[in-house]
Amino acid sequence: MTDAPLLQVTGLTKHYSGRRSLGQRLSGVPQTVVRAVNDVTLSVRRGEILGLIGESGCGKSTLGRAILRLHEPTAGKVVFDGTDVTALGADDLKKMRRRMQIIFQDPYASLNPRRTVAEIVGLPLKLHGLAASDEEVRAKTAAMIEKVGLKANQLDRYPHQFSGGQRQRIGIARALISNPEFIVCDEPVSALDVSIQAQIIELLQELKTEFGLTYLFISHDISVIGYLSDRVAVMYLGEIVEMGPVDSVLSRPRHPYTQSLMSAVPEIDTVGRKSRVRLKGDLPSPLNPPSGCKFHTRCPLAIDACRSKAPLTETVGDGHVAACHRLAENLSLLESTEA
Ligand code: SF4
């Protein structure tokens, strides 16, 4: 791993305009806006795994897709290896996609059921002109299929002829065949059985080492994030609320939301578990996010200021930042549980 960021994301924002029926438009119902990702700034070093954790619906997947411009950002900048991805035209973006890939959560939905494995995995080679002939496409596809643990004689089968874990291996092969440097792993094991999850995680680790890959690894499972990641970013309602080295964030979580995530994982033995933080209610709607700190409607430590003023992000350790008005009190609480 090097210190230079391979990926620098600054102020990335993705809002979606809500749909209105003709009747709503005619009667003057205002346009709604889903604020999925708000002003996210983060970097990923070459060779690093940055884990992105948060509840379903918090904007993790949208952030991953906005980084790749699969969803066009509303505002902000994504710089990959010195190139401003957000400013690229269609042709240059297509070339950049060879270097920035994604593995999707649902291996079945992400594979075209009418295409064979050879066609699915070989397509990026054709799109990017990475093979001189059909024979070369076939040979490279067969080699990649074997690299992810399948057999070359399975190339002419269709996705439905494989198990869930095998289908995810096909998705991984499709992401890797263009020899990318950076991969957004969007909940790649969430849809799989636990025993298969371990195999896929091991495969992703082996491939990262072999090909020198950099991952943004998205998951709602803090155990998976803790096992895999070098650093972790915690997301709540479209914003990063805490980020830092995985050991620091998971052993000394400073944001009440991170503390609540840690409290909910019985198998991780952390200091923070001694002072459990239990959340009230559900994740608020990004259609109408709370004012001030977006976490205040559920936070057991909320004070009046939290309802009106958004907290600034502050450094709380070496490379460890968090955004909360009560970081000092949180530290006292943490130290009292460690004593
Ligand atoms: Fe809780 Fe206030 Fe901190 Fe937000 S700023 S996490 S509401 S204490």
Side-chain angles (χ1 to χ4, degrees):
M1 199 194 309
T2 66
D3 281 343
L6 176 65
L7 179 79
Q8 179 67 55
V9 173
T10 309
L12 199 66
T13 298
K14 178 63 188 174
H15 293 171
Y16 299 94
S17 297
R19 289 207 184 120
R20 288 178 299 171
S21 66
L22 183 59
Q24 286 174 321
R25 271 183 265 164
L26 292 175
S27 57
V29 173
Q31 178 81 60
T32 54
V33 178
V34 178
R35 299 170 199 282
V37 174
N38 296 292
D39 197 19
V40 167
T41 294
L42 56 80
S43 62
V44 190
R45 294 192 292 271
R46 193 180 283 277
E48 183 179 46
I49 300 180
L50 176 67
L52 182 61
I53 180 90
E55 289 166 276
S56 294
C58 75
K60 309 183 296 294
S61 295
T62 304
L63 174 60
R65 285 165 168 76
I67 288 172
L68 300 178
R69 280 187 62 192
L70 294 174
H71 291 188
E72 203 60 50
T74 306
K77 195 167 170 180
V78 176
V79 175
F80 180 79
D81 199 19
T83 300
D84 184 352
V85 176
T86 32
L88 293 178
D91 288 347
D92 289 333
L93 180 60
K94 184 181 162 196
K95 285 182 202 152
M96 186 57 85
R97 289 253 168 80
R98 187 197 68 71
R99 301 174 65 192
M100 304 172 78
Q101 284 288 328
I102 184 167
I103 299 168
F104 294 99
Q105 174 180 0
D106 185 340
Y108 196 62
S110 69
L111 303 176
N112 187 332
R114 284 187 280 277
R115 301 255 184 232
T116 64
V117 172
E119 290 169 329
I120 291 168
V121 178
L123 184 61
L125 293 175
K126 294 182 176 175
L127 285 177
H128 296 293
L130 298 174
S133 63
D134 288 348
E135 290 70 32
E136 189 179 347
V137 170
R138 179 96 184 168
K140 285 185 168 177
T141 305
M144 182 52 71
I145 278 297
E146 291 187 336
K147 188 69 76 183
V148 300
L150 299 174
K151 294 190 174 69
N153 64 12
Q154 295 174 312
L155 275 179
D156 296 315
R157 294 188 189 173
Y158 290 85
H160 74 269
Q161 295 175 288
F162 293 87
S163 67
Q166 288 174 321
R167 285 197 287 264
Q168 194 53 292
R169 288 174 191 269
I170 296 168
I172 292 169
R174 177 178 57 184
L176 282 179
I177 193 104
S178 62
N179 197 22
E181 293 147 70
F182 171 73
I183 300 183
V184 173
C185 302
D186 185 7
E187 303 251 18
V189 297
S190 302
L192 305 175
D193 292 342
V194 173
S195 59
I196 307 298
Q197 284 185 12
Q199 293 172 17
I200 296 297
I201 287 170
E202 195 178 331
L203 173 65
L204 288 169
Q205 284 182 306
E206 288 170 7
L207 295 169
K208 176 188 175 289
T209 303
E210 181 170 350
F211 294 104
L213 297 167
T214 303
Y215 292 155
L216 175 65
F217 195 96
I218 298 171
S219 177
H220 62 268
D221 186 336
I222 207 159
S223 311
V224 171
I225 291 286
Y227 176 72
L228 260 179
S229 310
D230 299 298
R231 288 189 306 129
V232 59
V234 182
M235 195 164 192
Y236 185 81
L237 211 56
E239 296 177 354
I240 302 296
V241 296
E242 184 159 12
M243 180 160 52
V246 71
D247 290 345
S248 180
V249 172
L250 299 194
S251 65
R252 289 171 67 82
R254 295 294 302 281
H255 193 282
Y257 179 59
T258 315
Q259 292 168 351
S260 73
L261 291 178
M262 295 304 298
S263 299
V265 183
E267 66 267 33
I268 293 181
D269 183 20
T270 66
V271 172
R273 284 187 58 214
K274 292 175 188 168
S275 55
R276 290 197 165 196
V277 179
R278 300 200 184 275
L279 296 188
K280 302 176 274 183
D282 296 325
L283 189 70
S285 168
L287 263 172
N288 188 20
S291 58
C293 172
K294 291 191 168 60
F295 189 53
H296 83 251
T297 54
R298 304 170 79 193
C299 180
L301 302 182
I303 54 177
D304 283 349
C306 304
R307 295 179 184 89
S308 56
K309 196 172 157 202
L312 298 175
T313 299
E314 295 179 43
T315 299
V316 295
D318 190 11
H320 185 171
V321 296
C324 172
H325 289 308
R326 304 194 67 190
L327 288 172
E329 290 95 326
N330 253 347
L331 182 60
S332 309
L333 186 66
L334 203 60
E335 285 172 346
S336 70
T337 61
E338 287 173 339

